[in-house]
Amino acid sequence: MAFDLVLFGGTGDLAWRKLMPALFQAFRHGKLPPGGRILAVARDARSDDEYRALIHERFAEVDTAKRPSEEEFARFAGLLHYRRMDLSKVEDYQGLKDWIDARGAETVVLFLATSPELFVPVCEQLGAVGLNGPHVRVVLEKPLGQDLASAQQINRVVRSVFDERQALRIDHYLGKPAVQNLSALRFGNALFEPIWRRESIANIQITLAETLGVGTRGDFYNRTGALRDMVQNHALQLLTMIAMEAPASSDADAIRDEKLKVLRSLRPFGEREVARDVLRGQYRAGAIDGKPVVGYQDEARVPPGSTTETFVALRTEVQNWRWAGVPFYIRTGKRLASQEAHIVINFRHVPHSIFSNSSPANKLVIKLQPEDGLELHLLAAKGTGQHELLAPVSLDLDFGKAFATERVGAYERLLLDALAGRLNLFVRSDEQEQAWRWVEPILHHWSRESEGPKPYAAGSWGPAAASALIARDGFAWSEES
Ligand code: BG6
């Protein structure tokens, strides 16, 4: 299956930090279909060889295990091409189309790794020159819009040019191996289904914590904030995977229909609920790994006095028979105490204990990073004598060790799926719009509220009020319990 993969934004952060390394891994693993060309598009003039040299240089920053040898790079570089384009000029799109048509690849994937403001004009131009045939797919990288209206506007234009099944919206969390394992855990094993419900589960926590700050993306981040950057997409997608009913088949729409139902069942936020159940924070100076770091407002390209949130904690519920009354807590932030992402399913306590010490209830921890794995926390008998004591023990499954073969990274998986036309791990427009609909009242509330985000020290677990938010229900965040 010969393919052409066109990367708009071919010299941008995403292309060199995530996409090129992922494409190289796919190439190294022998998974890229043969006869492929990867065309980077950007506005500067440079030759194919100059672009290859640039990528070669950038690979020096990739983890050693994932860095190509000279020989491997020489072979990989054979796939790379570069084209200068002014994205406002229709003739440049015509030139691109001619370049693609001259070879007539069976599959053409157009990856828009550009700023989202360009999604509408680029799609319109692609349509104008006819680069939207049935063999073409367009991949849109998040963020898709700033709010519901802008997301709908993008989706309207995308749908006027491409069929829904040609439009692939990326949420790279769906490509993470642990997320596929979540699906396998729930729908490939009969064991958990009977207890995957309100009768057995006390609460569910989703934590996406980063020690990183905003780095060089200060201007982008300042317009975006943690709610749009992490909650509207990554955290909600994880929530849907936990809460959804079993789909009737593995067909992309069967899965996405079930996820959409969860999004529609989330308790809507009114003014009062936002004030009570959502907390925003912003980091101040502190220390990460023992090294001092500046506060958010002193980061490059962040205006002083910015009220953008770098931390969000919230409580919600899924209003249906399976989940009614079970709190789902989401917490995400930059410059937190640890670089980790996990989902914790906290089960209920035994109804009547015959043991003399009080012990934590069972929990299942689904670890997304730094390593992907599963931990099932149980209680075992400990000690002798008159009193039988309970002590926590855990069954620990490290997927990296369980499967000797190398794990496929999120972008590698999603790029290969985009080339193969597998849609399961991409987000449908109605899911994405529903997620916006749900977060919008929070954005509105914040825009009217004078208080601003609560400060927290870099290297902490966020504002103290985050513990209070969950303590209100009699629970604690997993690292505090
Ligand atoms: C991106 C966000 O979508 O996800 C970044 O824009 C964030 O701000 C990143 O750092 C986190 O992804 P991962 O895979 O490193 O957890």
Side-chain angles (χ1 to χ4, degrees):
M1 183 201 73
F3 70 87
D4 280 330
L5 171 61
V6 181
L7 298 182
F8 290 87
T11 53
D13 190 60
L14 182 72
W16 74 261
R17 236 168 23 93
K18 302 271 195 190
L19 303 180
M20 277 299 162
L23 285 166
F24 169 68
Q25 288 306 311
F27 172 78
R28 176 183 262 179
H29 297 151
K31 295 210 182 107
L32 270 189
R37 295 188 299 186
I38 299 168
L39 177 71
V41 165
R43 74 171 85 93
D44 300 323
R46 48 171 82 76
S47 67
D48 288 352
D49 281 340
E50 282 165 344
Y51 183 72
R52 291 170 187 148
L54 186 74
I55 293 298
H56 185 250
E57 213 175 278
R58 296 230 153 123
F59 267 121
E61 292 168 37
V62 168
D63 289 351
T64 331
K66 297 196 168 163
R67 210 176 288 164
S69 67
E70 289 301 319
E71 181 273 330
E72 280 176 318
F73 186 78
R75 285 191 293 122
F76 177 63
L79 308 184
L80 302 181
H81 300 266
Y82 180 84
R83 190 172 184 90
R84 195 203 74 80
M85 270 182 78
D86 178 339
L87 295 181
S88 62
K89 291 203 176 126
V90 71
E91 57 271 27
D92 284 12
Y93 291 83
Q94 190 57 52
L96 173 66
K97 181 167 191 293
D98 294 344
W99 186 85
I100 291 172
D101 286 352
R103 195 171 70 120
E106 286 140 281
T107 301
V108 175
V109 172
L110 308 169
F111 195 122
L112 305 195
T114 60
S115 137
E117 292 87 71
L118 293 173
F119 291 171
V120 164
V122 170
C123 284
E124 282 171 345
Q125 300 276 31
L126 291 169
V129 300
L131 248 178
N132 58 346
H135 63 307
V136 178
R137 291 181 204 112
V138 65
V139 182
L140 303 161
E141 179 62 44
K142 69 169 266 287
L144 266 105
Q146 278 282 307
D147 50 21
L148 178 62
S150 53
Q152 283 174 326
Q153 156 73 354
I154 294 173
N155 284 332
R156 246 192 314 275
V157 173
V158 171
R159 272 197 301 264
S160 72
V161 177
F162 298 97
D163 185 77
E164 177 67 36
R165 293 185 77 84
Q166 291 174 275
L168 279 47
R169 295 169 194 79
I170 283 216
D171 184 311
H172 79 277
Y173 267 62
L174 292 181
K176 289 186 189 275
V179 178
Q180 276 121 58
N181 271 315
L182 180 54
S183 192
L185 177 82
R186 291 202 53 206
F187 307 128
N189 297 282
L191 195 62
F192 287 103
E193 170 55 22
I195 53 170
W196 209 259
R197 55 190 64 249
R198 60 192 301 278
E199 289 79 4
S200 311
I201 293 178
N203 71 83
I204 292 178
Q205 304 180 10
I206 299 173
T207 295
L208 310 179
E210 297 182 87
T211 50
L212 302 172
V214 293
T216 52
R217 301 194 307 158
D219 41 7
F220 158 79
Y221 195 86
N222 202 56
R223 276 181 277 124
T224 309
L227 187 74
R228 293 185 173 99
D229 192 40
M230 299 293 286
V231 177
Q232 187 270 347
N233 32 68
H234 304 325
L236 280 188
Q237 284 294 325
L238 294 179
L239 189 153
T240 62
M241 299 289 294
I242 300 165
M244 71 192 268
E245 295 300 317
S249 73
S250 62
D251 175 68
D253 280 330
I255 296 171
R256 301 193 288 190
D257 287 347
E258 293 303 334
K259 285 164 61 196
L260 179 62
K261 278 193 215 159
V262 174
L263 292 166
R264 288 191 174 141
S265 311
L266 286 175
R267 195 174 65 193
F269 282 112
E271 282 287 318
R272 213 165 48 92
E273 287 82 15
V274 178
R276 192 189 57 201
D277 294 342
V278 187
L279 169 76
R280 57 176 165 158
Q282 189 188 72
Y283 62 84
R284 299 286 183 263
I288 299 284
D289 295 332
K291 296 200 188 82
V293 294
V294 297
Y296 177 68
Q297 298 193 13
D298 294 317
E299 296 279 14
R301 294 199 276 271
V302 172
S306 162
T307 57
T308 297
E309 80 287 355
T310 61
F311 175 93
V312 176
L314 64 82
R315 176 196 194 281
T316 185
E317 286 178 23
V318 178
Q319 297 181 310
N320 62 20
W321 277 43
R322 185 187 286 270
W323 295 114
V326 177
F328 283 71
Y329 304 101
I330 292 174
R331 175 178 57 159
T332 184
K334 301 250 182 229
R335 288 285 190 231
L336 293 182
S338 174
Q339 180 81 23
E340 62 187 84
H342 55 248
I343 301 164
V344 181
I345 316 287
N346 283 308
F347 292 95
R348 291 189 189 279
H349 281 276
V350 292
H352 168 70
S353 177
I354 56 165
F355 296 93
S356 41
N357 61 329
S358 69
S359 337
N362 300 131
K363 68 178 173 184
L364 177 70
V365 183
I366 300 154
K367 297 193 281 186
L368 278 74
Q369 48 206 38
E371 307 301 337
D372 56 314
L374 274 181
E375 274 174 20
L376 181 60
H377 293 236
L378 303 171
L379 292 155
K382 184 186 164 206
T384 50
Q386 286 183 320
H387 300 297
E388 192 87 55
L389 292 180
L390 285 179
V393 285
S394 76
L395 297 179
D396 203 343
L397 175 60
D398 176 336
F399 286 118
K401 287 196 190 128
F403 300 103
T405 49
E406 192 168 347
R407 311 285 283 147
V408 174
Y411 272 101
E412 178 181 350
R413 169 73 201 253
L414 294 173
L415 283 161
L416 290 171
D417 281 4
L419 289 171
R422 283 187 296 263
L423 306 181
N424 296 17
L425 300 179
F426 296 95
V427 181
R428 209 169 53 190
S429 59
D430 48 5
E431 281 181 80
Q432 188 222 352
E433 290 177 14
Q434 187 58 32
W436 276 120
R437 207 164 276 125
W438 184 74
V439 300
E440 263 202 344
I442 308 178
L443 293 168
H444 286 157
H445 181 86
W446 287 350
S447 67
R448 287 194 298 268
E449 190 197 54
S450 56
E451 206 187 317
K454 294 208 182 322
Y456 63 97
S460 69
W461 274 106
S467 303
L469 178 105
I470 190 165
R472 226 174 44 206
D473 296 332
F475 303 126
W477 293 107
S478 57
E479 90 285 348
E480 297 167 351
S481 56

